[in-house]
Amino acid sequence: VEIEITEMAVLGGPSNVEDTGTYLRLDDEDHAAYDLGDEIARDDAEREVRLDLLVARVWEASVCEPFWPEFMEQPQGDSDASCVAWNTASADIDLDAVPSNHHRWTSHTFETSLHTPTGAGNALPTGYGDPRHFHVEATARVHVIYR
């Protein structure tokens, strides 16, 4: 399996942002720093995987304490002391979905959308009204090869 985040948009969030970091996680692995457009490869994967793109935005302030991704235990949040807010765009991906117009295949490339949680039904979206909360929309290119 090869995965690449090809596009990302950040909507809303803190002002005076001076840095945006991205971190990728497949299933229950640890988040790893990720540069948009880089391809990650994994030799063995279950049929269904969960892909998370955690986005951290650091705003400009006179004093900020150091902050590392392992402190971001929740999928979204913020820290006054560290001048950072983060949110996670996710997708559950079926790697064995049969491509349209095919009955069998040995390799397949497709795109899937990742997004942050939103409200269900008539509920307001998660984080509504919090000036630090932001939404992330991203597109991942997934290439699956049977070996």
Side-chain angles (χ1 to χ4, degrees):
V1 176
E2 298 167 351
I3 298 173
E4 171 188 5
I5 305 296
T6 58
E7 297 178 38
M8 181 184 82
V10 176
L11 311 166
S15 58
N16 301 324
V17 171
E18 72 175 26
D19 186 48
T20 299
T22 51
Y23 305 87
L24 205 60
R25 176 172 68 180
L26 193 60
D27 287 332
D28 292 327
E29 297 174 352
D30 291 333
H31 282 97
Y34 177 78
D35 291 324
L36 294 177
D38 284 355
E39 189 174 272
I40 64 163
R42 189 159 161 193
D43 289 336
D44 190 21
E46 298 292 326
R47 175 180 175 161
E48 295 185 5
V49 297
R50 179 155 181 95
L51 181 63
D52 293 325
L53 176 68
L54 187 147
V55 178
R57 305 204 82 194
V58 178
W59 59 83
E60 186 178 6
S62 55
V63 178
C64 297
E65 296 176 6
F67 195 83
W68 293 275
E70 56 265 19
F71 295 151
M72 295 183 246
E73 293 178 0
Q74 301 299 319
Q76 65 188 50
D78 62 73
S79 168
D80 282 332
S82 298
C83 311
V84 64
W86 66 92
N87 206 344
T88 304
S90 302
D92 293 319
I93 304 170
D94 181 355
L95 297 176
D96 201 24
V98 178
S100 59
N101 301 322
H102 289 78
H103 296 290
R104 61 190 186 102
W105 55 277
T106 55
S107 70
H108 178 47
T109 300
F110 61 94
E111 290 188 343
T112 190
S113 298
L114 290 80
H115 51 82
T116 49
T118 57
N122 293 326
L124 293 171
T126 303
Y128 180 83
D130 181 342
R132 293 186 187 157
H133 184 86
F134 57 90
H135 286 286
V136 177
E137 296 174 357
T139 302
R141 183 189 64 79
V142 181
H143 183 65
V144 182
I145 304 169
Y146 275 107
R147 299 179 199 253

